[in-house]
Amino acid sequence: MKFIHFILVLISFGFSQDGLNPFLKIKSLGHRDPIEDRLTLEKLNAKIKTEIEPRLRSVRNISIENFLQYPKDGQLVIVDVREKNEMLSMLPGAISLEIFEQLRQDSIYNKKVDIVFYCTIGWRSGDVANKYQDLGMSTYNLTGGVLAWAYKGGEFVNARGEKTIQVHVYNSKWNFLPSPYEAMIDGY
């Protein structure tokens, strides 16, 4: 089963050595000063409350705390809905939306599993969670996405399954990533 998951992760990231399209340019926004982290977390929480939550009232959200306490009995699927170029790193055990779609069509995932969708902050994943909720699936949106995960000290893995501190933050507007993580965006 671990081998199959490893293959799915490789497919999710793509086939290049680092998991990215070799023609895509990624640039670093650098590391944040740890002293700024508390203020940045306050800004992130304000964005979630004012821009994300009002838009996604019908979606079941799951906090990072509740997600971490979720039983690890194989009945939970973690799906990264970000674009391939943003999947520089993923939550451990996650698969891409593309792979999830293929597995769902093959009836591997049915209505008996819970599915947690995530993105950078929860905007896009909320839309996807809502779509599958409307199809009768048990879905959750990970509140705060990879940014909230980072604030809880969550680990990220690259295409090789190795720990990494580089995290794609969509664009500089959403760079709320705390130290010691390194924020990455598309750049030319």
Side-chain angles (χ1 to χ4, degrees):
M1 187 65 174
K2 285 187 176 189
F3 177 74
I4 292 171
H5 187 266
F6 176 73
I7 296 301
L8 293 175
V9 168
L10 284 179
I11 294 169
S12 293
F13 276 107
F15 291 102
S16 66
Q17 184 180 11
D18 61 0
L20 297 172
N21 177 335
F23 301 105
L24 184 66
K25 303 280 189 223
I26 301 289
K27 71 177 184 180
S28 172
L29 295 176
H31 300 274
R32 188 175 301 286
D33 181 344
I35 295 170
E36 295 178 45
D37 285 351
R38 198 178 111 247
L39 179 60
T40 305
L41 178 59
E42 290 171 8
K43 289 179 185 176
L44 172 63
N45 287 332
K47 283 257 191 210
I48 291 169
K49 293 274 185 228
T50 60
E51 295 184 34
I52 307 296
E53 287 179 357
R55 208 177 146 267
L56 302 172
R57 296 223 183 267
S58 64
V59 174
R60 289 190 309 170
N61 288 298
I62 186 168
S63 68
I64 298 294
E65 295 81 8
N66 288 338
F67 175 73
L68 290 170
Q69 293 175 4
Y70 202 92
K72 309 292 187 261
D73 59 3
Q75 297 300 309
L76 180 68
V77 179
I78 308 164
V79 181
D80 189 333
V81 307
R82 298 175 299 161
E83 299 293 323
K84 264 195 194 286
N85 61 307
E86 296 175 76
M87 291 184 193
L88 178 66
S89 58
M90 296 172 77
L91 274 61
I95 60 173
S96 70
L97 182 59
E98 179 183 7
I99 296 299
F100 172 75
E101 281 288 324
Q102 292 169 359
L103 295 173
R104 190 181 72 83
Q105 289 172 1
D106 293 339
S107 300
I108 291 176
Y109 295 128
N110 55 36
K111 295 178 183 176
K112 295 180 183 176
V113 298
D114 290 330
I115 305 144
V116 175
F117 295 99
Y118 75 89
C119 63
T120 303
I121 193 166
W123 187 292
R124 294 171 288 171
S125 53
D127 288 339
V128 174
N130 196 39
K131 170 187 166 185
Y132 287 103
Q133 183 176 300
D134 289 348
L135 294 174
M137 299 183 93
S138 177
T139 66
Y140 294 92
N141 179 40
L142 187 61
T143 304
V146 299
L147 297 175
W149 179 256
Y151 271 97
K152 288 295 180 185
E155 292 181 352
F156 293 92
V157 295
N158 62 21
R160 294 179 296 278
E162 302 164 341
K163 291 180 187 178
T164 183
I165 61 168
Q166 292 184 330
V167 180
H168 198 289
V169 294
Y170 188 69
N171 64 33
S172 58
K173 174 185 172 188
W174 294 104
N175 182 16
F176 294 101
L177 201 62
S179 61
Y181 302 97
E182 182 179 5
M184 308 296 284
I185 61 170
D186 296 348
Y188 298 92

